[in-house]
C-alpha cells in the first residue's frame, strides 16, 4: 500500500510537466445546492484529463530496459492519450489498446501523439485482456490505468494540491472507475485531515466499486453502456480497492439522465467542457445523492475529452429533460387559417417553434383533420404545462405526451 511519502515523491517527479489546475469557486452552483462548491479543473491538463499525473509518474519510474522496449496500455481514451503524449516526449514507444467504440476524439488524439493505436473489443475489459496478451507476446511493459501503485501515487498529487489550495474543504466528491483517482486523493486528504469526507460517484450502469465494497473484494460486473465511458470499468483494481476500503466514506451512483444534465450545467453555467465521467460528482450533488448541506465541497472535473457530436446530442437531451424543449402533437381541423391560429397561440403563450410537421393520412386523425407535430422551445416544466393548458382553452386537441 502506498503512503503519503510516495505521493510527495511523485509530485517531485512530475511537477515541471503537469499543470497546476485551478480550484475556482462557483457562485451559481453553490446557490443551487446550498453548499460552497469548488471545481478542480483537471480537464485543463494538456491531454484533457487527470490521467497525465499517473501516466507520467509511471513512465519516469521505468528502468532503462523497460523504456527501450516500450510500454502498452488498455484505455477507454484518457489514460491512453496521457501515456501516448508523455511517451512521445520521453521518446518511449507506446501502444494503446482501446475499445472499438471509444470516442473518436480520443482515438485520433492517441494517434496524433505518436502511439500505435489498436482497436479491440466492445468495452474496456476486453481491450484490457488484449493489451495484457500483447504485453506478454511483445515484451512490452504493461501500464495499468489504475491498478498500479505508481499510477495511484501520481493521481494522489491532486490531493496535495487540493489541501494547499483550500485546506477548509469539508468534502471532496470524485468520479470512480477503476479506483486509482479516488484512492490517491483519499489517501492524501484523509492523512492530512482525517475529518474530511471522501465520496465517490459511479454510473448506475457500471457500479463496480460499489459492488466490490458490498462483496468485500473486486468483482466483475456484466457489460453495460454508459455516457460516462471514462469510468465504465467492470472490475476495479486491487491496489485502489484496498485504499478505498480504508479511506473512502461513501460510494453513490447516478443515472444516465442525471449525468447528461450535469454535463449541460457545466457547459451552460460554468462554461466548462466536461465528459460524462467528469460530470458525475456534480450529478450526485445536484440530485441530492449525498447529504452535505452548507459545507465546503470540492468536485473533481476529471476530464473534458468529449466528442462534439455527443455534446450536440447531450445539449438536445438535456434541454428536453430540463423542460426547455418539448414535443406537442395537436389535432386541428384541416381548414385554411387553423395552422396559423395554432402557431399564433403558441407565440402568445411565450414558446418558440423549432420544428413543425403535418400528417393527414397516418395515425389518429379523422377525415377533415390534420395532426401537427411541433418541437417548441420553453423555459421549463411549468411553462410546458401552461402551454398545454392554454392550447386546450383555445379549443385545440392535444395528444398525450410521449
Amino acid at each position: 500500500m502506498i503512503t503519503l511519502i510516495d505521493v510527495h515523491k511523485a509530485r517531485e517527479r512530475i511537477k515541471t510537466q503537469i499543470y497546476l489546475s485551478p480550484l475556482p469557486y462557483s457562485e451559481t452552483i453553490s446557490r443551487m445546492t446550498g453548499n460552497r462548491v469548488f471545481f478542480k479543473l483537471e480537464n485543463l491538463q494538456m491531454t484533457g484529463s487527470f490521467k497525465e499525473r499517473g501516466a507520467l509518474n509511471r513512465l519516469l519510474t521505468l528502468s532503462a530496459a523497460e523504456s527501450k522496449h516500450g510500454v502498452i496500455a488498455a484505455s477507454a481514451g484518457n489514460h491512453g492519450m496521457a501515456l501516448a503524449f508523455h511517451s512521445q516526449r520521453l521518446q518511449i514507444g507506446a501502444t494503446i489498446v482501446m475499445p472499438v467504440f471509444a470516442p473518436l476524439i480520443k482515438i485520433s488524439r492517441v494517434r496524433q501523439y505518436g502511439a500505435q493505436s489498436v482497436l479491440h473489443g466492445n468495452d474496456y475489459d476486453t481491450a484490457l485482456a488484449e493489451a495484457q496478451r500483447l504485453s506478454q507476446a511483445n515484451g512490452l511493459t504493461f501500464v495499468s490505468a489504475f491498478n498500479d501503485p505508481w499510477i495511484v501515487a501520481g493521481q494522489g498529487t491532486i490531493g496535495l494540491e487540493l489541501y494547499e489550495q483550500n485546506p477548509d474543504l469539508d468534502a471532496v466528491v470524485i468520479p470512480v472507475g477503476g479506483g486509482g483517482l479516488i484512492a490517491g486523493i483519499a489517501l492524501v486528504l484523509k492523512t492530512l485531515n482525517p475529518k474530511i469526507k471522501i465520496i465517490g460517484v459511479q454510473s448506475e450502469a457500471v457500479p463496480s466499486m460499489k459492488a466490490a465494497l458490498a462483496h468485500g473484494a473486486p468483482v466483475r460486473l456484466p457489460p453495460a453502456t454508459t455516457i460516462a465511458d471514462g469510468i465504465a470499468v467492470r472490475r476495479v483494481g486491487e491496489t485502489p480497492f484496498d485504499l478505498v476500503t480504508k479511506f473512502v466514506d461513501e460510494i453513490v451512483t447516478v443515472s444516465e439522465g442525471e449525468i447528461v444534465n450535469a454535463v449541460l450545467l457545466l457547459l451552460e453555467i460554468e462554461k466548462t467542457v466536461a465528459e460524462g465521467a467528469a460530470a458525475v460528482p456534480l450529478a450526485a450533488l445536484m440530485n441530492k445523492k449525498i447529504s452535505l448541506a452548507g459545507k465546503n465541497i470540492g468536485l473533481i472535473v476529471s476530464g473534458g475529452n468529449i466528442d462534439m457530436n455527443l455534446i450536440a446530442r447531450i445539449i438536445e437531451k438535456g434541454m428536453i429533460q430540463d423542460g426547455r424543449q418539448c414535443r406537442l402533437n395537436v389535432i386541428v381541423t384541416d381548414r385554411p387559417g387553423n395552422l396559423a391560429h395554432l402557431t399564433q397561440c403558441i407565440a402568445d403563450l411565450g414558446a418558440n417553434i423549432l420544428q413543425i410537421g403535418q400528417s393527414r393520412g397516418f395515425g389518429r386523425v379523422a377525415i377533415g383533420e390534420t395532426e401537427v407535430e411541433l418541437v417548441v422551445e420553453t423555459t421549463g416544466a411549468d411553462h410546458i404545462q401552461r402551454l398545454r393548458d392554454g392550447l386546450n382553452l383555445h379549443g385545440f386537441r392535444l395528444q398525450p405526451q410521449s
Side-chain angles (χ1 to χ4, degrees), residues 221-260:
L221 299 183
T225 301
T226 173
I227 190 176
D229 59 279
I231 54 173
V233 178
R234 292 162 51 196
R235 187 180 190 276
V236 301
E238 289 82 2
T239 297
F241 176 77
D242 290 341
L243 290 164
V244 167
T245 56
K246 184 175 181 180
F247 294 115
V248 173
D249 295 284
E250 185 180 9
I251 301 289
V252 300
T253 60
V254 289
S255 69
E256 295 299 292
E258 290 165 344
I259 299 171
V260 165

Side-chain angles (χ1 to χ4, degrees), residues 319-320 323-328 330 343 346-347 350-356 373-379 383-384 387 391:
M319 297 280 275
I320 292 168
R324 288 184 287 169
Q325 282 186 23
C326 76
R327 184 173 62 188
L328 300 172
V330 186
T343 58
I346 290 172
N352 181 42
I353 297 173
L354 301 176
Q355 295 177 27
I356 187 169
E373 182 179 285
L374 307 105
V375 176
V376 298
E377 189 176 22
T378 50
T379 60
H383 188 193
I384 293 173
L387 179 62
L391 291 175

Side-chain angles (χ1 to χ4, degrees), residues 147-171:
N147 196 30
D148 182 311
W150 303 110
I151 294 289
V152 173
Q155 321 306 24
T157 60
I158 297 174
L160 294 175
E161 292 176 13
L162 286 169
Y163 187 76
E164 293 165 357
Q165 290 170 314
N166 190 340
D168 296 323
L169 288 176
D170 299 301

Side-chain angles (χ1 to χ4, degrees), residues 2 50 134 140 160 192 241 243 266 308 320 327 335 395:
I2 68 168
F50 75 95
L134 291 172
L140 304 173
L160 294 175
L192 296 173
F241 176 77
L243 290 164
L266 285 166
M308 291 298 105
I320 292 168
R327 184 173 62 188
R335 292 178 181 172

